[in-house]
Amino acid sequence: MCHGLLTAVMATLTAGAAAAPAPAKAADNKAAPRIEQRAPTAEERDSFDEFFRARNAAQPRRPWGAAPLFAPAFEIDRQRGQPWRVVARVDSAPRRSAPDLCRQIRSSFVYDAAKPKGERWGDSAEAPQWYVWLAQANVPCQAARYTVLMDQAMPPADAVALLWQHRELLNRARLLFAGNSQCARQRALTFRLAALKPAAATAGAPVMFGMVFESDRDTTATVAVRKHRGEYVAWNVSCSG
């Protein structure tokens, strides 16, 4: 009896194990990243180098007219099942754009594998981006570790003033964080100035600028700065992330 009962139990367990479903592949699919990325192919690198040399020679006065200090940075990604989006970004050599301001221009180019060989690279729809930092007196502009994206509509004199004062303005703006529910929890974070841009005028503040700060917690705080008679005052703040 005992032997028969044991045999029946073992048979039941074996059948249950055989009937247990295998781990669903759908779960694996959900865990997979939605965006795929890859490194450039040798053909993409070589064809871009050839395209860029020809562009330099043909249009030496454009932003890419000076030889770049670094190799191009490639951004290649796609949603699964879609064609690859291939973008190459190149930084121009640093140049002084104002007495106290150094500027580097980042240009973007796109790749179209469907076009004939030799015609696959072209200008991106994205406008060239300006990155700036404070210049040193009597020292040629050199590549900087930290740069700030500057809207091309930003007056250079105001950009210089805000670069000089950005730490002080951020400290003053921290008092405004408490009055904004989106910003209150970010008040004590460490921020780095990432971008400068003009801002819409408000009542009593005809000239406004936006200072975009990025934190060490992947959040963003934008400080609206009012300019009045040459003085800059932190006016309000908004946050995201």
Side-chain angles (χ1 to χ4, degrees):
M1 291 292 293
C2 292
H3 177 74
L5 179 59
L6 179 60
T7 301
V9 171
M10 292 300 295
T12 302
L13 292 175
T14 302
K25 291 184 178 181
D28 294 339
N29 291 339
K30 288 182 180 179
R34 185 178 180 185
I35 301 296
E36 298 176 339
Q37 296 178 320
R38 66 169 174 82
T41 64
E43 193 280 332
E44 289 166 347
R45 284 188 179 277
D46 293 344
S47 64
F48 181 76
D49 289 343
E50 182 178 348
F51 160 80
F52 195 75
R53 284 195 299 268
R55 176 63 62 93
N56 259 1
Q59 300 179 351
R61 293 186 179 277
R62 297 299 295 273
W64 51 80
L69 296 180
F70 308 103
F74 289 88
E75 295 180 9
I76 304 177
D77 55 35
R78 70 174 179 183
Q79 291 187 343
R80 282 184 300 173
Q82 299 298 317
W84 288 103
R85 183 188 70 96
V86 181
V87 177
R89 304 190 191 280
V90 178
D91 289 343
S92 69
R95 293 178 177 174
R96 195 176 294 262
S97 63
D100 297 314
L101 197 67
C102 291
R103 184 182 69 193
Q104 197 166 31
I105 299 177
R106 180 168 299 168
S107 301
S108 300
F109 306 92
V110 294
Y111 181 83
D112 186 349
K115 290 186 176 180
K117 190 174 182 180
E119 301 177 11
R120 294 176 179 173
W121 285 100
D123 295 328
S124 169
E126 179 182 349
Q129 296 179 316
W130 293 9
Y131 288 85
V132 299
W133 60 98
L134 291 172
Q136 298 182 39
N138 303 318
V139 176
C141 290
Q142 300 177 351
R145 181 178 181 183
Y146 296 112
T147 61
V148 175
L149 176 63
M150 187 183 87
D151 190 296
Q152 296 182 29
M154 189 82 186
D158 291 308
V160 170
L162 293 176
L163 287 172
W164 276 113
Q165 300 178 42
H166 76 274
R167 292 185 181 87
E168 179 183 355
L169 288 167
L170 175 61
N171 288 335
R172 292 180 179 178
R174 289 186 191 273
L175 298 175
L176 303 172
F177 277 49
N180 186 317
S181 58
Q182 292 181 321
C183 298
R185 61 187 180 86
Q186 299 186 36
R187 183 176 179 180
L189 296 184
T190 299
F191 286 95
R192 184 186 74 83
L193 180 61
L196 296 173
K197 58 184 180 180
T202 60
V207 180
M208 299 287 293
F209 301 106
M211 304 179 70
V212 182
F213 292 88
E214 294 177 348
S215 80
D216 55 353
R217 301 290 180 86
D218 294 326
T219 62
T220 301
T222 301
V223 178
V225 176
R226 173 183 184 254
K227 179 183 179 182
H228 180 63
R229 296 180 180 177
E231 295 186 358
Y232 301 86
V233 178
W235 196 251
N236 57 50
V237 63
S238 60
C239 299
S240 63

